[in-house]
Amino acid sequence: MRRRVTVLAVLLLAAGALVYRDWQARAGPVPVVVGEVRRQPLAASFIADGIVQARTVHLAPKLAGRIAAILVQEGQAVRAGQPLLRLDDRELQAGVEEALAAVATAQTARQQARMALALARERAAAEEAQARAQLAAATARLDRVLAGTRPEEIARAEQQLAQARAARQAAEAAARRAQALYAAGAIARAELDETLTRLEAAAAQEEAARQTVALLAAGASREEIAEARAAADAARASLARALTARGEVGLRQADVAAAHARLAQARATLVRARALLADASVRAPFDAVVASVAVDVGEIVSPTTPVITLVDPRDVWVDADVTDEDATKVRVGLEVTVTVPAYPGRRFRGRVTDLAPAARTRTDLALRTRIVRVKVRLLDTPALTPGLEADVEGTATVVPSALVIPADALAFREDRTVVFVVERGIARVREVHTGYATVALAEVTGGLREGELVVVDGKDRLVDGRRVRVVGTVGP
């Protein structure tokens, strides 16, 4: 019985095959549109939503105080360093003036100390030089006294005595002649008196020369030696006192150093006072536009109170969220297009400058989505308002060299992906392995060869082995 059933099934299958072959032979070839398997770069597009951002800073004063003046208004363009707001700085101004006065006083005191030092140095130098000269003279005198009179000195003194004696004798002869002439009435009394005066002077000089010879011949006395030694000791004492006076120079140097330190301290106090005065003003750190002013004149603020917000309209970017499916399409340096709903019809060029190193979960949507934050720098520096919604569109090469086919050529059979390959007018079913896929193209990683043709349109009417007629070709 079983054998009969088996034979019957075989006959039925054979009959079915004959019928199918006969039907296929009678039916015409199926018109199809094909595409060629090609190797080319595979690019994919993506879109991400984001928010327009700009370089923004919220400024707060460095000091606590009452606002005296607000110098700008919202929407005003400001330059770097421009004062925007000023606190009540009257006490700080007084502090600067006090510091200036202290610096002037310290400068005067230092100048006086320097002058005192210069005078002390000059006085000490003069006293030392004088004491050394006196000591040298006293020492030389003592040496001469102790050494006694030299023969040449006695000879010189005797020679001077002989000259003085001769001068006296000549004066006596002149006086005798003058007296004779006066007695004869030949000269006046005045001439006689003058001659007698010269005689007295010559006699005095002879007597002095005689005493000098006698002293030199006798040598120094004990009193002279004691006097010379006392003079030398006194000169040494004077030199010691002069050297001790150098200590006053050291004191004056210390006074100068102290005055210099006080001046440095006064200058530092002035720097701090000026810094505090400068901190009473809030200044723009860069060229910007005033976005908001959060305070009014008269309010008391502290360093934790934001008072003014600045925005740099030239430094604009978009923070966008790319889904994890599109994250591989984005890379730093990729040029993209940015559209802003608030500016309909306008498209702005941008470039991806930063890519977050890790994905995160976006929880503000109904569906929890993993996203990657990217930063897109706008290249045209448009004056976009921070906080506006923006869309980022871009296209990137995901596979540099991929074997691709039109995505419509893929068909699915249970858990397999297949295509119909046209071989000599016959459609053959072939299983393929795919990689990256876009709306238009699909990457084939196995099952096809470059140059083969696959059915793109008309595959729904095909079975393996059906004859086909190519009526068109589409490019991948």
Side-chain angles (χ1 to χ4, degrees), residues 137-155:
T139 303
R141 180 186 175 192
L142 178 60
D143 290 342
R144 287 196 303 271
V145 170
L146 294 177
T149 304
R150 291 176 296 176
E152 55 269 23
E153 291 180 349
I154 296 176

Side-chain angles (χ1 to χ4, degrees), residues 166-435:
R168 191 256 313 157
Q169 292 173 353
E172 286 179 348
R176 285 193 296 271
R177 287 193 301 272
Q179 287 175 347
L181 292 173
Y182 177 74
I187 61 174
R189 179 67 185 181
E191 291 183 7
L192 176 61
D193 292 340
E194 182 179 354
T195 302
L196 293 175
T197 301
R198 285 197 293 271
L199 174 60
E200 292 176 358
Q205 289 179 356
E206 180 184 6
E207 181 61 26
R210 184 179 291 106
Q211 292 179 2
T212 299
V213 171
L215 288 174
L216 291 175
S221 64
R222 294 178 181 177
E223 291 77 6
E224 290 176 335
I225 294 174
E227 182 182 353
R229 283 178 174 169
D233 292 339
R236 291 190 187 94
S238 297
L239 179 59
R241 287 192 298 273
L243 295 176
T244 305
R246 291 180 178 177
E248 182 181 358
V249 175
L251 294 176
R252 296 295 174 262
Q253 288 177 335
D255 291 342
V256 171
H260 185 76
R262 286 191 293 270
L263 177 58
Q265 183 178 4
R267 285 174 173 170
T269 301
L270 176 60
V271 170
R272 288 193 296 270
R274 285 175 170 169
L276 288 174
L277 180 60
D279 290 342
S281 296
V282 177
R283 298 179 180 271
F286 51 83
D287 295 351
V289 173
V290 179
S292 65
V293 179
V295 292
D296 294 319
V297 174
E299 288 188 35
I300 296 177
V301 294
S302 68
T304 60
T305 306
V307 293
I308 294 177
T309 300
L310 299 182
V311 174
D312 186 355
R314 302 170 304 171
D315 191 1
V316 182
W317 69 90
V318 174
D319 281 338
D321 294 336
V322 178
T323 60
D324 54 355
E325 294 86 354
D326 290 334
T328 57
K329 305 174 186 177
V330 185
R331 68 179 185 278
V332 173
L334 178 68
E335 287 203 14
V336 296
T337 300
V338 177
T339 57
V340 181
Y343 295 83
R346 296 189 61 183
R347 299 170 69 85
F348 307 101
R349 295 187 310 117
R351 178 179 288 112
V352 177
T353 58
D354 292 285
L355 185 64
R360 60 184 179 86
T361 301
R362 184 171 177 177
T363 58
D364 58 343
L365 299 177
L367 298 177
R368 294 173 63 86
T369 307
R370 302 292 294 177
I371 58 96
V372 175
R373 176 63 57 88
V374 299
K375 183 176 182 179
V376 177
R377 180 72 62 177
L378 296 179
L379 303 179
D380 301 323
T381 60
L384 298 179
T385 302
L388 293 178
E389 294 183 357
D391 294 323
V392 177
E393 302 175 15
T395 300
T397 299
V398 291
V399 183
S401 179
L403 201 63
V404 297
I405 61 174
D408 290 339
L410 297 175
F412 303 96
R413 299 289 187 269
E414 297 178 352
D415 59 347
R416 297 185 305 156
T417 302
V418 299
V419 296
F420 286 95
V421 180
V422 177
E423 298 178 349
R424 297 179 181 180
I426 303 298
R428 298 296 184 185
V429 175
R430 188 181 300 174
E431 183 178 0
V432 295
H433 300 285
T434 59

Side-chain angles (χ1 to χ4, degrees), residues 120-136 235-247 249:
R121 283 175 173 169
E122 292 177 0
R123 185 167 55 250
E127 291 178 356
E128 181 180 348
Q130 183 179 2
R132 290 187 182 279
Q134 291 175 350
L135 177 60
R236 291 190 187 94
S238 297
L239 179 59
R241 287 192 298 273
L243 295 176
T244 305
R246 291 180 178 177
V249 175

